[in-house]
Amino acid sequence: MEQIETLSGKRQNEGADRIGDAEQQRCIAYFKERPIYGKLFEKVRDKYARLGRLGGTVQLSGLNEEERYQLGGFFQRDYSGKKTITISYTAMKKALENSRFAGLKWEEILQGYFEEELIAKKEQKLAWQAERERYFAEILAGVPANPGSMWLEETLQTQGEGYLFLIKQYKEAPERLREVLRHFLGAVPQIPLFKASDEQMKMELLPVFAALTTGNPHFFDTGMPGEQLLVAFLKSRIPNSVGKTAFRAEEKAELFYEAGLLKDDLSNHTLVYGIRAWTKEGKPHEGIGGFVSRGEPLILTLLTLGSLARVCAREQKHVYIVENPAVFSTLAGAWPDAAILCGNGQIRLATLVLLDLFEKDTTFFYAGDFDPEGLMIAQRLKERYGERLQLWNYERKYYEESRSDVAISEKSLKKLEKIHVTELQEIREVLQQERKAVYQEAMLKAYLRKRPGVPALERV
């Protein structure tokens, strides 16, 4: 066993209260020359952080024979062959007092060894919180008061929407976050919603807005920190926006739209027939009116929808919404006086924006595929529009009339567990039993046989 100079007894009190720096440096050098003590001291420091003081025990395992030999030299123990060595702080104090370094304190030795203060976790947390507060205070001090700076201050205080994202970014890349926040807070006052005042809000393309306010057209692109900040900010500032729609793919686009920002103004569109529209200036939209007078369908983009104040059905206050373009075309030909919309397999933001523009006493009739995905669309529309939306032909007899041989996958069937709207339970149950889909093209005769909201028509 390695030996170090020991005392036959404890040192006399004379001089024990004051040990020179040279003695402490020799002590630290002794431990640094033997790597095993680095392993021991790391564990002791971790224990200190948890307890807020030196105490308790630590364990060392996986040591080689040389490391066990070096450790035994200081603690005057034979550790040879031991897989795990347990060392208490009491044993450390005793070993130090029985060594030539008696009179030194472990706190001083450890601080000298690591060249930093021993800090308890509570102290670390308080120090980190103080530094974080200084960091964000500097950022807020550098921008004038505006809706963005007020949101940031409020979010940090209440840990509201966006707080976890801010803290994560602060931990990972504080300087990058500082730059992102500088651009973001400068852009917020220029958002059309906050510039509109008493005037009509003018829509702006998101990339153009980003380029003008931050110098980077991709600043608010999907997944970028700027976009995540904008989403959190708008959710907190636009009434009823949180949970407003369950169309997740469209949720952000709708949120931005309400703020006057268009993520995509042309490819986001809806197919319509038989509606009239008025601009925000109160004038009839001549283009849409022309298609109505010619009895032709048209595609409305978000760009056009953004200029409208209200719309209405050409005749009755009924609007028929279908999932498939072929069904849309057939119904438009059979019911020239009707107002018909097509979601084209999904409900885009453009369709929701258009439906929101109809007068409140308008009734919507929705028909879609009888499969799990189709029922999810129907449920979401029902949740959004409530009693204004009637589900059309969602009965078992129509399923049996048009059932296909297309099997529904197990993965798709699991989506039926999320269907809770009362009017959809009959179809949900039959889908679970039969496990075959029905597509609305096969239900065309049933649609034409009985048009909701008007007297029964002749059978075709």
Side-chain angles (χ1 to χ4, degrees):
M1 182 183 296
E2 181 189 27
Q3 298 293 323
I4 66 169
E5 181 182 350
T6 60
L7 303 177
S8 58
K10 291 186 179 180
R11 287 190 175 187
Q12 299 299 315
N13 290 333
E14 296 91 52
D17 294 335
R18 188 176 183 86
I19 305 297
D21 288 342
E23 184 72 0
Q24 183 168 307
Q25 291 306 313
R26 282 193 291 271
C27 176
I28 292 169
Y30 169 84
F31 289 123
K32 284 192 172 183
E33 288 168 2
R34 296 157 176 79
I36 180 56
Y37 292 103
K39 296 180 181 181
L40 172 62
F41 292 168
E42 285 285 354
K43 287 184 174 290
V44 172
R45 181 168 63 172
D46 289 344
K47 178 71 75 170
Y48 181 94
R50 292 193 297 273
L51 297 177
R53 57 180 174 79
L54 290 174
T57 61
V58 298
Q59 287 188 332
L60 297 170
S61 58
L63 304 183
N64 59 39
E65 195 59 38
E66 177 61 24
E67 289 174 324
R68 290 194 288 266
Y69 177 73
Q70 291 177 0
L71 200 62
F74 181 74
F75 286 98
Q76 295 295 288
R77 297 280 302 274
D78 183 4
Y79 293 128
S80 58
K82 288 189 175 291
K83 293 182 179 180
T84 301
I85 298 174
T86 300
I87 296 176
S88 68
Y89 178 59
T90 300
M92 289 177 63
K93 288 196 296 183
K94 183 177 179 180
L96 185 62
E97 285 303 311
N98 286 332
S99 76
R100 60 185 167 122
F101 304 123
L104 291 176
K105 297 180 179 179
W106 274 117
E107 288 88 342
E108 296 170 352
I109 295 170
L110 292 168
Q111 287 172 167
Y113 185 92
F114 291 113
E115 298 180 2
E116 63 182 23
E117 294 285 329
L118 294 178
I119 303 176
K121 284 191 181 297
K122 183 177 180 181
E123 294 170 342
Q124 288 177 324
K125 184 177 180 180
L126 291 174
W128 183 84
Q129 288 176 338
E131 177 56 34
R132 184 191 67 195
E133 289 172 4
R134 283 194 296 271
Y135 170 89
F136 285 110
E138 286 177 6
I139 292 173
L140 287 167
V143 297
N146 65 50
S149 62
M150 289 188 287
W151 166 79
L152 178 58
E153 187 172 6
E154 177 184 307
T155 299
L156 293 169
Q157 290 176 351
T158 64
Q159 299 187 13
E161 186 78 37
Y163 175 79
L164 293 179
F165 171 77
L166 285 165
I167 298 305
K168 182 174 183 292
Q169 293 295 307
Y170 169 72
K171 289 179 178 178
E172 293 178 354
E175 290 311 308
R176 183 184 67 177
L177 177 61
R178 187 189 298 274
E179 190 67 9
V180 168
L181 283 172
R182 183 176 68 83
H183 286 305
F184 171 72
L185 295 175
V188 166
Q190 303 305 312
I191 294 174
L193 178 65
F194 300 108
K195 287 175 63 179
S197 186
D198 295 330
E199 303 173 6
Q200 293 289 348
M201 182 172 66
K202 294 180 180 179
M203 308 298 290
E204 291 186 35
L205 284 169
L206 189 59
V208 175
F209 170 79
L212 291 174
T213 57
T214 73
N216 178 5
H218 303 293
F219 186 82
F220 295 111
D221 280 2
T222 300
M224 296 293 285
E227 186 218 34
Q228 295 183 64
L229 288 172
L230 185 58
V231 169
F233 169 73
L234 292 177
K235 277 190 172 184
S236 71
R237 289 300 181 265
I238 295 179
N240 304 316
S241 62
V242 179
K244 180 176 181 179
T245 173
F247 294 95
R248 294 180 183 176
E250 297 290 325
E251 187 177 28
K252 284 189 288 190
E254 182 178 4
L255 194 63
F256 293 164
Y257 181 87
E258 293 196 19
L261 299 169
L262 298 174
K263 289 200 73 170
D264 182 356
D265 65 332
L266 294 177
S267 64
N268 198 314
H269 55 73
T270 189
L271 183 60
V272 304
Y273 173 84
I275 69 164
R276 299 185 184 279
W278 287 261
T279 67
K280 291 179 178 178
E281 290 74 31
K283 299 177 181 179
H285 192 288
E286 295 177 354
I288 295 174
F291 277 89
V292 172
S293 63
R294 291 179 60 85
E296 296 176 1
L298 75 153
I299 292 174
L300 290 179
T301 68
L302 274 179
L303 184 64
T304 300
L305 290 166
S307 69
L308 302 180
R310 66 185 182 92
V311 300
C312 73
R314 178 174 48 180
E315 299 291 339
Q316 302 98 345
K317 293 194 174 184
H318 300 151
V319 176
Y320 303 95
I321 310 165
V322 296
E323 190 176 339
N324 186 275
V327 175
F328 168 88
S329 182
T330 301
L331 294 182
W335 304 338
D337 62 330
I340 309 170
L341 276 62
C342 178
N344 199 19
Q346 57 184 306
I347 302 297
R348 294 190 178 96
L349 172 59
T351 303
L352 298 176
V353 170
L354 178 58
L355 291 174
D356 288 347
L357 289 171
F358 278 95
E359 298 165 326
K360 297 301 182 185
D361 58 351
T362 303
T363 300
F364 304 131
F365 295 97
Y366 179 76
D369 293 338
F370 288 173
D371 64 4
E373 292 73 22
L375 264 60
M376 291 293 289
I377 293 173
Q379 175 165 280
R380 291 165 184 168
L381 283 171
K382 185 65 178 176
E383 288 176 333
R384 183 180 179 97
Y385 296 104
E387 293 304 313
R388 292 181 66 198
L389 185 132
Q390 303 298 312
L391 295 172
W392 177 14
N393 285 6
Y394 282 78
E395 300 174 37
R396 188 184 188 103
K397 63 180 180 180
Y398 297 113
Y399 174 90
E400 293 174 345
E401 216 175 77
S402 309
R403 179 172 52 187
S404 74
D405 292 326
V406 179
I408 302 172
S409 69
E410 289 295 333
K411 182 179 180 180
S412 183
L413 282 169
K414 286 188 176 297
K415 296 177 183 178
L416 294 174
E417 297 172 3
K418 299 179 181 179
I419 301 300
H420 56 79
V421 167
T422 302
E423 294 93 323
L424 293 170
Q425 295 309 303
E426 187 173 340
I427 296 300
R428 180 183 70 84
E429 290 170 5
V430 74
L431 285 175
Q432 289 175 323
Q433 294 166 4
E434 304 294 335
R435 308 167 76 88
K436 296 291 178 65
V438 172
Y439 300 106
Q440 65 173 173
E441 295 93 327
M443 292 188 279
L444 259 174
K445 287 188 177 181
Y447 297 146
L448 293 168
R449 248 192 338 257
K450 185 178 180 183
R451 176 175 165 184
V454 298
L457 304 176
E458 290 186 9
R459 294 179 181 271
V460 296

